[in-house]
Amino acid sequence: MGLKEHFELMAAYNQWMNGKIYGAARGLEQTELAKDRGAFFGSIIGTLNHIVVGDTIWLKRFAMHPTFSIALKEVVDLPSPNKLNDILFEDFAALSERRAWLDNHIICWVGTLSDDDLGTEAVNATVESISYQAGRVVVGLRLWMLY
């Protein structure tokens, strides 16, 4: 399996697992979703928001590269999270909608990548005053997909 196929598989797996997680969470009341569970991001809704924040940050980083700017234009237009624990959506339905939207964009974007794209240099980015440099796009994709 080539790198492109690997990332296509990982993007599809990401969408499938998010569907399972959100399907399980959908059965919970809003109070249960918001209840502090002592987890790093507090509640279930806090943790799910954190994952959306992380995916948004990574996609925005990739979108800064000229090769990917067209495929990720709609992601660029999203508000930029300021912190990893930002609560973008308190409402589970709105959070689910954004999750599905991101998963579809990830799959479509990965589908546009070529082997040459995977070898290009990534862009530096900063979140919460922490500077990141992924190096080659393939390294950034691997880090993000493992996240």
Side-chain angles (χ1 to χ4, degrees), residues 79-128:
S80 293
N82 296 311
K83 300 179 297 183
L84 295 174
N85 64 347
D86 277 356
I87 301 295
L88 303 177
F89 301 96
E90 301 222 10
D91 176 66
F92 182 74
L95 180 61
S96 296
E97 187 176 310
R98 175 62 58 86
R99 175 74 270 158
W101 186 90
L102 283 170
D103 287 344
N104 285 330
H105 277 72
I106 291 166
I107 287 171
C108 289
W109 172 60
V110 169
T112 69
L113 296 176
S114 68
D115 289 335
D116 287 342
D117 292 336
L118 293 171
T120 60
E121 291 293 325
V123 178
N124 288 339
T126 302
V127 176
E128 294 187 36

